[in-house]
Amino acid sequence: MNFVKLNNGLEIPQLGFGVCRIPDLSECQQVVEKAIETGYRLIDTAAIYQNESAVGQAMKQSGVAREKLFITSKLWIENFGYQETLRAFDETLAKLQTDYLDLYLLHYPFGDIFGSWRALTELYRQGKIRALGVSNFPNDRLFDLLVNSEVKPAVNQLQTHPFLQRKYERKFLQEKQISLEAWSPFAVGRDNIFSHPVLVTIASHHQKSVAQVILRWHLQHGTIVIPKTVQPKRMQENFSVWDFQLTPEELSAIAQLDQQDQTQTTALAEIDDRIRVQSKFI
Ligand SMILES: NC(=O)c1ccc[n+]([C@@H]2O[C@H](COP(=O)([O-])OP(=O)(O)OC[C@H]3O[C@@H](n4cnc5c(N)ncnc54)[C@H](OP(=O)(O)O)[C@@H]3O)[C@@H](O)[C@H]2O)c1
């Protein structure tokens, strides 16, 4: 496993496991136990996924020591604001059956971001969170937070995949020493990504799957990546990506697949929909 050193010195596994859209708690617990058994140590959940308690049970059942795991959760927007953040964080800890988080993210850039960040900063200083970060923050919102906070965000978790490559965000994040973590690293299989001819050709050249090629592409760009699957065979497949390298020519071919402007519009519409469905906030 490779590790990425965050801007506060904490090391995060570069490849982790996401648990979005696994609402059934017993299924989620089984899946996370299997993922930990496969070797994953970074588990990415969120309050809004409503499965933190299943992740907590799986951590306990796994027999792997807490300090060997790297647990990320996210504060949902309805709980933004100083007091609500402290309360929601305690609830998250209780559900996860732990007394600290490795990484805690503001899920979206809405509402009282600065009140929440003040609460997170206190929790960070008390050692209850080992690194702070954000998710879905465009460059300008992130810049505002950066220049107006004492503890800098270590991570921005953004939807990133070969069709949405984040060139502009990546450049900004590098300049500011903030790590990019890719959500939906496979574009959730949309737009036939798993049968895209360019990716299929590269995969057959390496005798690997398209999923493995996509993960290599992320890893070779230095991105932290958290694919999700409920299938043990795919967990193993997605974890077996350390024994081959994409060539510069292959990386250039994948660079041509970027449709950021077009995809970003779709991504924004989806975020809008998701928040409308999941929240009383709007
Ligand atoms: N911060 C945010 O706002 C945000 C938003 C969305 C997601 N996330 C995080 O990012 C994680 C990953 O994103 P995601 O779940 O949206 O999508 P994803 O990882 O891009 O794709 C998951 C989909 O790909 C399939 N899949 C996985 N491995 C495969 C393989 N080797 N071959 C073929 N298909 C495969 C899965 O199906 P099966 O399960 O049937 O295998 C599932 O349908 C989430 O779980 C969550 O932790 C964060």
Side-chain angles (χ1 to χ4, degrees), residues 25 45 85-86 120 144 148 172 185-186 190 229 250 261 274:
L25 294 181
T45 184
T85 297
L86 293 176
L120 262 50
D144 188 20
N148 290 299
F172 177 77
F186 299 138
R190 281 191 300 257
T229 177
E250 289 167 339
D261 292 341
R274 191 170 320 136

Side-chain angles (χ1 to χ4, degrees), residues 18 20-21 44 135-136 157 183-184 186 228-230 234 238:
C20 186
R21 287 179 283 264
D44 182 272
S135 179
N136 302 302
Q157 191 183 102
W183 65 259
S184 294
F186 299 138
K228 170 260 170 186
T229 177
V230 294
R234 288 178 174 172
N238 297 346

Side-chain angles (χ1 to χ4, degrees), residues 12 18 20 42-46 49 72-74 103 105-108 133-137 142 154-160 166 173 178-184 224-226:
I12 179 172
C20 186
L42 159 55
I43 309 293
D44 182 272
T45 184
Y49 303 168
T72 302
S73 193
K74 311 182 196 87
L103 178 63
L105 309 178
L106 298 185
H107 207 140
Y108 280 98
V134 297
S135 179
N136 302 302
F137 271 52
L142 188 48
V155 166
N156 191 9
Q157 191 183 102
L158 294 172
Q159 181 179 172
T160 308
R166 302 289 187 188
L173 293 171
I178 298 171
S179 296
L180 173 63
E181 186 172 42
W183 65 259
S184 294
I224 303 157
V225 69
I226 45 169

Side-chain angles (χ1 to χ4, degrees), residues 206-260:
H206 290 280
Q207 297 181 307
K208 293 286 178 184
S209 69
V210 167
Q212 289 170 317
V213 166
I214 295 172
L215 291 174
R216 261 325 297 176
W217 172 81
H218 284 288
L219 296 172
Q220 286 182 224
H221 279 87
T223 308
I224 303 157
V225 69
I226 45 169
K228 170 260 170 186
T229 177
V230 294
Q231 302 186 30
K233 217 168 140 247
R234 288 178 174 172
M235 281 176 207
Q236 189 60 57
E237 176 186 333
N238 297 346
F239 201 67
S240 309
V241 289
W242 304 104
D243 59 349
F244 74 110
Q245 283 271 343
L246 301 178
T247 65
E249 294 73 26
E250 289 167 339
L251 291 172
S252 303
I254 299 174
Q256 304 305 313
L257 307 185
D258 195 11
Q259 307 163 12
Q260 177 138 3

